[in-house]
Amino acid sequence: MLETLINGALVGALYGLYGLGLSLCLGLMRQINLAHGDFIVFSAFLALQLTTHLGIQPLLALPIVVPVMFVIGRLLQRFVIERTLGRGEMPPILVTFGLSVILQNVMLQLFSADTKSLDPGPLGTAAINIGSVAIGVLPLLTLAVAVGIFALTAAVFGRTRFGRAVRATSDNEAVAQLMGIGTRRVFATAMGFALAISAVAAIFYGMRGTFDPSTGPERMLFAFEAVILGGLGSIWGTLAGGIILGIAQAAGTLIVPSLGPLVGHVVFLTGLLLMPGGLFTKRIRV
Amino acid sequence: MISITDLRASYGPLPVLFGFDLNVARGETLALIGANGAGKTTTFAVMTGRLKPQTGSVSINGRDIAGLTTIDIVVHGLALVPEGRQLFPSLSVEENLLVGAHSRRSGGWNIERVYEIFPTVAEFRNRPSMALSGGQQQLVAIGRALMSNPDVLLCDELSLGLSPAAVDIVYSALQKLRGEGLTTVIVEQDIARALSASDRFACMRHGQIVLSGASKSADRAEISNAYFGMR
């Protein structure tokens, strides 16, 4: 049982990574991207193309997929999301929902509906035994990478000139421009950052599970639950939210193996009812 | 330093500024006074690139800035303390100041100097900006504008929504800045405040400047007439 829960927590680190890109969108930039999950799946397919054609280990696809998704994120913000802002809440929701549908169908055309995965090679079966508990090396690596990326993101958005500019822009775009901040460029870069993180999440997702063009919305759901559980605007809260979700799902499988996701959702709903602001909401918001 | 010639602007079909000239010399503080709707805030909107003028020019240091984007105008040395302070709520006091330096203009202002002249701001540097009182927030807003090392400082309704005691603090802070070589324009409803804090005044009515002169020798009755349009 301990092993199941530990593995649940490690899967949760992956959910945290799914959530981090969305957390930047929702919490920091205060805009929605309903196609977030589909971009994760799209990144996984990109990595699959690289691993099959170049014969490389999926992790080695990171230096290519991450910059590509960064550029796609910038373009997405500049040419799609930016045009929907300032006209109420509906346009960004509708446009990114449409984008999600389009992306799923494009992937269906390009990559077929077959279930795929990224072959991690020997890394997939390597495990460390601690007493009677066996922990996979790949899940541990996922956690380590997740913590590293969360730390990097927290530092970039919390302590740099760029991070201040992003937060100032989401507080008040007009006043941010009065400070000389190129608000559009700053948001485009932040969106690039969000999709670059999703690309990292995608490669670990592909190595640890299976994906096909229709699995995006479920990633989006897990990402959303991690963000909301952790609290909007709190970067580390998203990691905590993801880990709680992972443990809840693992606990569910202990009861009935197919019950995992349902227990995860129930924990999310309970959390939302008890703490509507999430675990780590910033209290300075007005 | 600031030279405005034949400035005309409108909000859609509604004309607001009817062609006026205004000059402010380097290092001078000008009070722009006038009743609500006289065109003071619109003048600021044009100067900060929020509103494109129909005709006329606005130049700073001999460079025409009319029609440039807000971001470019800031780079050319203009800073605004906006009406209602408008600090960034998710940033701390210190971060609000640092974000003011985003344009990276060089000059004598930096965070240490802001703390030096506004010691109360230094005391609350790590607080969330919204945890400060209105008067303290106004000092942060002025400090934030100074952080961009501006040549021209525009202050919009500094006393709005503040207690008389807080207004005293804000205006004595403004007084400290005179002699720093900043060219300052203050928009203010309170005529007495505006005159005591400025070298010259210009009174606007119906989108034009109807009276201007030295603040010291200003005739209050004459200003009242110009302000309310009684001739």
Side-chain angles (χ1 to χ4, degrees):
Chain A
M1 185 175 120
L2 183 64
E3 191 173 310
T4 313
L5 292 181
I6 289 173
N7 280 315
L10 294 175
V11 172
L14 184 61
Y15 295 163
L17 267 189
Y18 292 162
L20 184 53
L22 193 68
S23 182
L24 293 180
C25 270
L26 276 176
L28 274 172
M29 300 164 72
R30 285 170 226 166
Q31 63 181 30
I32 183 87
N33 174 17
L34 287 181
H36 182 74
D38 304 293
F39 278 108
I40 293 176
V41 176
F42 182 75
S43 311
F45 272 113
L46 271 186
L48 181 67
Q49 300 307 308
L50 289 169
T51 54
T52 32
H53 289 110
L54 303 176
I56 54 173
Q57 215 279 337
L59 287 175
L60 296 178
L62 277 172
I64 301 169
V65 181
V66 169
V68 167
M69 292 311 290
F70 178 82
V71 172
I72 291 178
R74 291 201 65 158
L75 297 176
L76 172 72
Q77 180 69 26
R78 222 46 210 264
F79 295 106
V80 182
I81 297 180
E82 190 183 293
R83 288 159 189 256
T84 66
L85 300 177
R87 301 173 196 195
E89 286 166 358
M90 282 312 273
I93 293 176
L94 291 176
V95 166
T96 55
F97 178 72
L99 192 66
S100 161
V101 175
I102 292 169
L103 257 180
Q104 286 179 42
N105 284 284
V106 166
M107 288 191 286
L108 201 59
Q109 283 293 320
L110 290 176
F111 310 119
S112 86
D114 296 345
T115 299
K116 302 275 171 45
S117 71
L118 298 171
D119 179 12
L123 186 64
T125 48
I128 303 170
N129 288 300
I130 303 166
S132 60
V133 180
I135 302 171
V137 171
L138 183 56
L140 274 178
L141 184 66
T142 314
L143 176 69
V145 169
V147 169
I149 289 179
F150 270 84
L152 179 72
T153 308
V156 165
F157 287 87
R159 287 202 288 275
T160 65
R161 175 175 179 268
F162 166 73
R164 281 192 298 272
V166 172
R167 286 179 289 142
T169 302
S170 67
D171 274 352
N172 189 332
E173 190 180 0
V175 179
Q177 288 176 350
L178 276 174
M179 305 296 123
I181 296 171
T183 51
R184 291 178 170 187
R185 206 179 54 234
V186 159
F187 258 34
T189 304
M191 196 64 190
F193 207 95
L195 284 205
I197 293 167
S198 308
V200 179
I203 286 176
F204 282 96
Y205 160 49
M207 287 194 292
R208 296 178 58 180
T210 57
F211 56 93
D212 68 62
S214 67
T215 52
E218 197 184 27
R219 300 309 105 192
M220 169 75 192
L221 186 60
F222 292 160
F224 183 74
E225 291 182 342
V227 172
I228 300 299
L229 262 180
L232 269 181
S234 162
I235 287 175
W236 285 105
T238 301
L239 182 62
I243 289 175
I244 291 169
L245 196 63
I247 293 174
Q249 290 188 359
T253 58
L254 284 176
I255 308 165
V256 178
S258 62
L259 218 59
L262 179 66
V263 172
H265 298 325
V266 169
V267 165
F268 163 71
L269 282 176
T270 314
L272 197 59
L273 283 174
L274 296 179
M275 280 187 274
L279 292 169
F280 302 94
T281 336
K282 287 189 181 164
R283 285 175 184 83
I284 48 166
R285 287 271 149 75
V286 282
Chain B
M1 171 58 75
I2 307 175
S3 177
I4 295 177
T5 353
D6 191 33
L7 190 64
R8 286 165 200 275
S10 59
Y11 288 112
L14 185 76
V16 185
L17 302 180
F18 293 89
F20 67 86
D21 297 351
L22 182 69
N23 289 294
V24 190
R26 183 183 297 272
E28 190 178 45
T29 298
L30 177 99
L32 200 55
I33 53 181
N36 279 330
K40 309 179 303 283
T41 299
T42 308
T43 305
F44 273 10
V46 172
M47 292 178 80
T48 54
R50 301 280 305 280
L51 183 68
K52 303 262 178 282
Q54 288 165 314
T55 60
S57 72
V58 179
S59 67
I60 297 177
N61 280 329
R63 202 196 151 92
D64 192 3
I65 56 159
L68 292 183
T69 64
T70 304
I71 300 160
D72 287 334
I73 289 172
V74 173
V75 172
H76 283 113
L78 185 139
L80 170 74
V81 182
E83 184 182 323
R85 307 174 287 280
Q86 312 247 24
L87 297 184
F88 300 109
S90 37
L91 271 57
S92 70
V93 167
E94 181 151 302
E95 285 180 319
N96 265 282
L97 293 174
L98 288 172
V99 98
H102 193 90
S103 60
R104 286 185 167 145
R105 276 175 59 86
S106 56
W109 288 103
N110 54 38
I111 202 145
E112 285 78 23
R113 271 208 71 204
V114 171
Y115 286 154
E116 203 182 297
I117 64 155
F118 301 151
T120 35
V121 174
E123 210 176 304
F124 300 119
R125 60 204 288 172
N126 294 319
R127 296 263 186 98
S129 52
M130 291 298 130
L132 270 57
S133 72
Q136 292 162 343
Q137 284 186 28
Q138 191 63 275
L139 296 183
V140 177
I142 295 171
R144 182 178 67 177
L146 292 173
M147 287 290 286
S148 70
N149 280 300
D151 296 326
V152 172
L153 181 70
L154 307 182
C155 301
D156 198 357
E157 306 270 11
L158 290 181
S159 62
L160 196 75
L162 298 183
S163 68
V167 177
D168 284 342
I169 292 169
V170 170
Y171 270 89
S172 70
L174 205 64
Q175 209 64 35
K176 282 189 198 172
L177 295 177
R178 292 176 75 180
E180 292 280 349
L182 268 170
T183 307
T184 311
V185 180
I186 54 175
V187 156
E188 183 57 73
Q189 301 265 359
D190 183 338
I191 299 174
R193 286 270 180 211
L195 291 177
S196 68
S198 60
D199 304 308
R200 280 201 311 129
F201 73 93
C203 183
M204 287 192 84
R205 208 169 81 79
H206 293 333
Q208 282 179 317
I209 289 174
V210 289
L211 184 72
S212 64
S215 302
K216 255 185 189 162
S217 56
D219 179 345
R220 291 299 301 272
E222 202 182 358
I223 291 179
S224 293
N225 287 343
Y227 195 99
F228 296 108
M230 297 181 292
R231 284 268 163 190

